[in-house]
Amino acid sequence: MTKPFPHTPTFMTIDEPFRFEGELFDLEVEGTIPDELDGTFFRVGPDQQFPPKMGDANPFNGDGIVTAFRFKDGHADMQHRYVRTDRFLAERAARRGLFGDYRNPFTDDPSVKNIERTVSNTNVVAHAGQLLAMKEDGPPYAMDPRTLETRQLWDWHGRMKATSFTAHPKIDPATGELVGYAYAAKGGDSRDIAFYSFDRQGRMTRELWFQGPHASMIHDCGVSERYTVLPMIPQMMDVERIRRGGILFQWDSKVDQVYVVIPRDGEAKDIRFFRAPNALPGHVINAFDDGGKVYLDLPVVNGNVFWFFPDAQGRHPDPSSLRTQVVRWCFDMNSPSDTPTASVIAEISAEFPHVDDRYAGRPYRYAFMQASDWTKPYNADKAGPIMGFFFNTFLTMDMNTGKTKSWFAGDTSSTQEPVFAPTRPDGPEGEGYVLGVVNRRAEHRSDLVILDAQRMDEGPIATVKIPARLKYGIHGNWVPATTFPR
Ligand code: V55
Ligand code: FE
């Protein structure tokens, strides 16, 4: 018999373990789902299968569970299924947690010594006929996009030799290539970084190994037509620390942001390392270049957002005290200076960006994000306390002006990452819908809302009711029906 989960922030309120798998045909809808929505919104998040072996766990340690919302002719169906990772299967067979702390193999049960320990809980990306469930501490797992059955650990036919792969690869809309990288690419806290490209069919076309200036978290990347940029977060890795029972990542306010700029067709000698003052580079909105200048847009936070990866003194800032700037960096590859220029597009606590994927890597105008609007009310009596990451607003940002149109989800709700779905393949940029899960915290239930991307302030066109709770999700993507023909 499984023991109860601990009543700690990771496992409380709307984020209590759910652990249920299943499907729902023809979800109840308030309003009207636009007929032209034809495709699937895939998303993933952690939902730990068994109570944590070590007594508690951070929210990034849970087993990945994937949701597919499939849209056709104004209807929505839903599937919700765990990724059958090797770790998930080993724990299921044992009926208990065998893997210990986050990215700490020293805390594992000896019986799982040689079993891949990634949980595939961070992103789901469609490429070359498969759905890839990803977490940056291991290779992806390939899933069947139609059934959500897990196929296998995916190392691209044995060619991807790094011990891990990012959860934030980018797909070049012009070529269909998947471009990504691995950090700590030889395991542990190695400074090795590997840069990869795979063509439309999933064949490896580039592999480039080099070393970074230090070993730290590289969570996301920007990919333009000719360059890839890797923002290095001042979250420093140390395997000696986990050997002593500590945490793999530690915030260091004395370390600069480092932006690694890699020419997509270049060699290791062409790689440049740019530096900016200590801060936290967040998720990449988009990147583009004009040949010599590389532009990277992303929210930059003035401190550490990962309260479970504190500094050497065990300190972390109160999330509501942090300030975010949406920044456009310019990296000049023809200048010897390692200092990029910055322009601030907006000052707003917005994160989890998506763009119109047809404009990925190219000059573009719109970003779709969620935001923490602390000026809005929150009814903790009804909705329960806020623990950790909290967002309450969906918005469309005009990147030319920094102006936003937004929708507040209400004083008992929180939001999850929104995605963008265009109305038609040849429509103008940003004409389409923003889809996002909203947690109805007082009802212990979730909804999926659909908003007009250009009229966010008018509120949902449709609310798809989910008679279940979708815990804290991480990332997802809109995949048009043409990507996986029926
Ligand atoms: C992040 C998320 C992760 C992780 C490392 O948001 C970094 C950043 C959900 O897991 O393992
Ligand atoms: Fe992420």
Side-chain angles (χ1 to χ4, degrees):
M1 178 75 178
T2 297
K3 295 178 304 204
F5 279 79
H7 292 282
T8 56
T10 299
F11 302 103
M12 280 170 74
T13 67
I14 195 82
D15 292 316
E16 266 175 45
F18 188 60
R19 302 167 71 230
F20 196 82
E21 298 181 287
E23 42 186 80
L24 259 160
F25 189 74
D26 224 353
L27 291 154
E28 190 185 342
V29 182
E30 279 170 11
T32 308
I33 298 176
D35 273 343
E36 62 235 22
L37 266 187
D38 189 6
T40 306
F41 171 23
F42 292 101
R43 47 84 78 190
V44 66
D47 193 352
Q48 195 150 327
Q49 184 184 197
F50 291 106
K53 176 171 182 280
M54 308 306 287
D56 195 7
N58 77 40
F60 289 175
N61 214 26
D63 299 282
I65 191 159
V66 176
T67 317
F69 295 103
R70 302 180 192 277
F71 292 89
K72 176 95 185 139
D73 300 330
H75 295 268
D77 306 323
M78 171 183 161
Q79 282 171 302
H80 192 60
R81 201 156 206 258
Y82 272 115
V83 189
R84 262 53 182 177
T85 61
D86 294 16
R87 169 174 172 152
F88 177 95
L89 295 173
E91 293 194 340
R92 177 154 286 201
R95 289 185 178 270
R96 67 187 172 93
L98 300 172
F99 293 82
D101 279 333
Y102 178 84
R103 293 183 73 163
N104 185 343
F106 305 110
T107 53
D108 292 349
D109 189 279
S111 67
V112 298
K113 200 173 165 45
N114 296 312
I115 298 179
E116 170 58 52
R117 68 193 307 292
T118 194
V119 282
S120 301
N121 66 9
T122 311
N123 203 357
V124 264
V125 172
H127 191 245
Q130 311 203 90
L131 188 68
L132 300 174
M134 318 181 107
K135 186 179 181 73
E136 66 194 51
D137 67 350
Y141 275 82
M143 302 179 84
D144 183 324
R146 293 168 194 83
T147 63
L148 297 188
E149 274 166 65
T150 303
R151 289 175 174 158
Q152 60 188 294
L153 189 73
W154 190 246
D155 60 5
W156 285 272
H157 310 288
R159 293 203 54 199
M160 206 284 295
K161 302 288 190 202
T163 53
S164 60
F165 192 80
T166 178
H168 285 288
K170 299 291 177 286
I171 291 175
D172 185 321
T175 63
E177 289 165 288
L178 180 138
V179 181
Y181 64 93
Y183 75 94
K186 292 184 179 170
D189 56 7
S190 78
R191 283 164 47 208
D192 301 279
I193 299 172
F195 168 67
Y196 288 107
S197 297
F198 305 91
D199 70 10
R200 198 185 281 285
Q201 281 79 36
R203 290 179 297 234
M204 186 186 291
T205 49
R206 291 266 315 145
E207 179 181 28
L208 180 62
W209 285 81
F210 63 98
Q211 288 209 316
H214 49 244
S216 77
M217 184 192 285
I218 310 177
H219 179 64
D220 198 351
C221 66
V223 177
S224 68
E225 246 179 283
R226 301 174 193 83
Y227 297 92
T228 296
V229 187
L230 310 183
M232 299 185 74
I233 300 173
Q235 276 288 358
M236 313 307 285
M237 304 178 80
D238 184 354
V239 162
E240 284 314 307
R241 198 163 48 232
I242 57 171
R243 215 188 276 280
R244 297 190 306 262
I247 305 168
L248 182 65
F249 290 110
Q250 189 170 84
W251 178 258
D252 189 340
S253 60
K254 292 187 289 299
V255 173
D256 286 341
Q257 301 175 72
V258 177
Y259 290 88
V260 186
V261 184
I262 309 164
R264 282 172 64 182
D265 290 325
E267 299 304 326
K269 65 171 174 37
D270 305 319
I271 295 171
R272 298 276 308 272
F273 297 91
F274 292 83
R275 288 175 175 275
N278 178 267
L280 189 141
H283 285 104
V284 169
I285 302 172
N286 205 358
F288 54 94
D289 72 77
D290 65 6
K293 289 191 171 114
V294 188
Y295 298 89
L296 180 77
D297 297 350
L298 80 177
V300 177
V301 189
N302 69 346
N304 176 24
V305 300
F306 301 108
W307 69 94
F308 40 84
F309 303 143
D311 66 14
Q313 285 71 47
R315 292 174 312 200
H316 60 81
D318 171 2
S320 63
S321 73
L322 292 168
R323 293 288 167 266
T324 303
Q325 293 184 322
V326 175
V327 173
R328 174 164 294 170
W329 295 110
C330 174
F331 307 101
D332 187 347
M333 298 300 276
N334 295 319
S335 155
S337 167
D338 68 355
T339 306
T341 52
S343 51
V344 177
I345 293 171
E347 307 224 16
I348 182 170
S349 293
E351 246 291 353
F352 290 85
H354 269 272
V355 296
D356 183 328
D357 289 333
R358 299 169 299 172
Y359 291 78
R362 308 295 184 281
Y364 73 110
R365 181 161 175 200
Y366 295 110
F368 314 98
M369 298 191 256
Q370 59 178 343
S372 318
D373 185 346
W374 301 105
T375 69
K376 289 289 198 296
Y378 182 74
N379 187 335
D381 290 341
K382 285 192 177 150
I386 293 171
M387 313 233 211
F389 300 115
F390 178 79
F391 298 91
N392 57 9
T393 298
F394 289 139
L395 61 84
T396 296
M397 182 175 290
D398 182 337
M399 299 299 288
N400 292 340
T401 62
K403 290 211 169 74
T404 60
K405 278 194 180 163
S406 64
W407 175 72
F408 166 58
D411 70 354
T412 56
S413 295
S414 51
T415 57
Q416 303 192 13
E417 180 190 75
V419 295
F420 172 78
T423 46
R424 48 202 163 107
D426 53 356
E429 186 195 347
E431 179 193 277
Y433 304 101
V434 168
L435 288 74
V437 171
V438 174
N439 284 346
R440 305 303 188 190
R441 302 170 71 97
E443 297 167 50
H444 239 52
R445 195 183 59 71
S446 305
D447 284 333
L448 175 70
V449 303
I450 303 173
L451 300 130
D452 182 327
Q454 298 299 330
R455 293 177 192 77
M456 299 289 280
D457 46 333
E458 292 178 11
I461 298 167
T463 301
V464 181
K465 313 291 280 186
I466 305 168
R469 186 164 44 87
L470 292 180
K471 272 167 63 85
Y472 180 74
I474 314 279
H475 299 291
N477 287 284
W478 171 257
V479 178
T482 47
T483 303
F484 298 124
R486 286 186 178 84

